[in-house]
Amino acid sequence: MTKLNGNNIKIAIQQKGRLAEASLELLKSAGMEFDTYKRMLYSSCRNFPLDILYVRDDDIPQYVADGTVDLGIVGDDVIMEQQMKVKKIAPLNFGYCSLVIAGPSSEKIFKPRDLDNLRIATTYANCLKKFLKKNKIQAKIINLAGSVEVAPSVNVADCICDITSTGNTLKMHGLEEKFKLFDSRSYLISNPKSLKDKRKFKEIERLAMRIKSVVKSKKTKYIMLNAPKKNIPEIIKIIPGLDSPTLMPLAKKGWVALHSVVDEEVFWDVIEKLRHAGASGILVSPIEKIIN
Ligand code: PRT
Ligand code: ZN
């Protein structure tokens, strides 16, 4: 195992769990070369002054806030709950979930005030406290360490406040979402002091630029299409491209080929509109990197 280098910047990522694989893949796509073996506590990159520490996700905000590491990759839910002094550098495209209050489907809970005097089990006490305070609700918070979803069935609580993504776990326990506190995704976070250190800032900025470009490229598709030249003004309005799309004349008289980039979220909408606007031969391919 390579020894930690005092001059390297350090990033903490989850050792195992929902964010672990995506975090490793992100760093590799950002060009970091390093070895990972099971049970490894850290790796050093061969081609970038970066050490990667593998830890539990709940420890990441603390490590980043106290400067044990300069950077971290962790869910917004954990950041919100722990309220540590960390700076969010970039949203990432994994770890999507929501923090919700859920209760038995049979329970008539329609508005936040219906939670008055109920017992709510959670591992997110700070986020729940904030929600209850904002809505002026008097409810009892039951702090649990895990397996929150079983609390109502064993009568430890009436409702729960927990993370959900597909909603299957709630359903399996006879629960349904009553209120959403917030949506969450993973973030690249930084220690605020590391950003003020000239040497570290330079390397953090280099890495952050690469990470942002990987995230952006995953969100977008490259499209190529043919269209009559006279339709181009209408087509350009449909494609919210990078800057301006690339146009090339075709052998077919009055026709051009157009290349551009389209956001994944609006992709199918855009394709339908393009076909209506006279585009044909539409080719779509993934983008590996976008460097602005
Ligand atoms: O061991 P370590 O402490 O590192 O990991 P952990 O077990 O505490 O965390 P982990 O790996 O479960 O989650 C890490 C992060 O993933 C969370 O902080 C969230 O930001 C994010 N995330 C995304 C989720 C989910 N989706 C999710 N579904 N975290 C937890 N869940 C739980 C959910 O509460 C339910 O119990 O997964 C279960 C399945 O959810 P459904 O809705 O898909 O059925
Ligand atoms: Zn955890």
Side-chain angles (χ1 to χ4, degrees):
M1 197 190 293
T2 337
K3 248 189 137 194
L4 279 180
N5 180 333
N7 287 325
N8 286 356
I9 53 167
K10 294 175 183 56
I11 187 167
I13 65 171
Q14 192 185 28
Q15 185 174 39
K16 57 179 197 303
R18 284 193 168 74
L19 310 181
E21 208 170 303
S23 304
L24 280 177
E25 200 192 301
L26 177 66
L27 291 175
K28 296 220 158 156
S29 304
M32 303 298 112
E33 283 177 15
F34 56 94
D35 299 316
T36 45
Y37 303 111
K38 281 206 177 102
R39 292 176 199 282
M40 218 171 182
L41 299 179
Y42 62 84
S43 327
S44 292
C45 291
R46 286 188 287 275
N47 60 344
F48 200 95
L50 177 75
D51 292 331
I52 304 161
L53 276 75
Y54 305 104
V55 300
R56 289 201 52 183
D57 71 333
D58 315 72
D59 294 333
I60 293 175
Q62 174 73 58
Y63 283 162
V64 173
D66 70 18
T68 305
V69 293
D70 305 292
L71 299 166
I73 292 178
V74 69
D76 201 16
D77 52 319
V78 178
I79 302 170
M80 303 265 259
E81 177 60 21
Q82 297 196 3
Q83 301 167 357
M84 297 279 168
K85 280 206 166 147
V86 297
K87 181 113 176 72
K88 283 185 189 172
I89 306 257
L92 307 174
N93 46 0
F94 55 86
Y96 291 103
C97 56
S98 307
L99 184 66
V100 304
I101 291 180
S105 315
S106 54
E107 200 80 40
K108 292 191 174 66
I109 298 168
F110 303 113
K111 49 187 191 309
R113 287 309 291 261
D114 295 336
L115 295 168
D116 254 336
N117 303 317
L118 295 186
R119 298 162 302 163
I120 310 175
T122 193
T123 57
Y124 290 81
N126 290 328
C127 294
L128 177 57
K129 232 180 261 169
K130 209 168 146 193
F131 174 83
L132 296 176
K133 194 172 169 203
K134 191 175 134 209
N135 290 285
K136 301 191 176 64
I137 299 158
Q138 300 288 334
K140 186 162 188 231
I141 299 178
I142 313 283
N143 280 294
L144 296 182
S147 302
V148 170
E149 60 280 354
V150 299
S153 55
V154 294
N155 198 22
V156 166
D158 305 295
C159 290
I160 66 168
C161 172
D162 201 9
I163 290 295
T164 177
S165 48
T166 63
N168 287 339
T169 306
L170 293 181
K171 220 181 268 169
M172 257 165 46
H173 291 84
L175 303 171
E176 65 180 20
E177 178 181 330
K178 304 287 186 185
F179 310 105
K180 189 196 281 184
L181 274 58
F182 55 80
D183 288 320
S184 174
R185 66 199 293 184
S186 299
Y187 271 83
L188 174 69
I189 57 171
S190 170
N191 172 291
K193 277 193 204 142
S194 300
L195 295 173
K196 290 193 182 122
D197 176 315
K198 247 187 181 169
R199 184 184 60 82
K200 284 184 173 179
F201 176 72
K202 199 175 125 230
E203 303 302 351
I204 290 173
E205 202 176 40
R206 275 179 71 209
L207 181 62
M209 191 277 277
R210 293 187 185 196
I211 286 179
K212 283 180 193 167
S213 81
V214 172
V215 171
K216 194 166 177 193
S217 68
K218 293 250 161 72
K219 268 194 356 194
T220 44
K221 299 261 182 244
Y222 193 70
I223 66 163
M224 291 158 270
L225 58 88
N226 298 336
K229 200 171 175 186
K230 62 177 174 42
N231 296 16
I232 290 301
E234 191 187 345
I235 286 177
I236 285 178
K237 273 192 227 146
I238 299 168
I239 304 179
L242 272 185
D243 284 321
S244 61
T246 311
L247 286 179
M248 275 166 293
L250 289 178
K252 192 171 167 186
K253 201 162 173 254
W255 278 67
V256 288
L258 180 148
H259 292 202
S260 192
V261 170
V262 172
D263 239 16
E264 179 101 67
E265 283 162 22
V266 294
F267 178 75
W268 286 110
D269 270 359
V270 168
I271 295 292
E272 280 164 18
K273 285 184 191 155
L274 286 173
R275 293 193 65 221
H276 278 120
S280 63
I282 303 174
L283 288 181
V284 180
S285 57
I287 296 176
E288 203 181 296
K289 308 267 183 324
I290 293 182
I291 321 287
N292 277 340

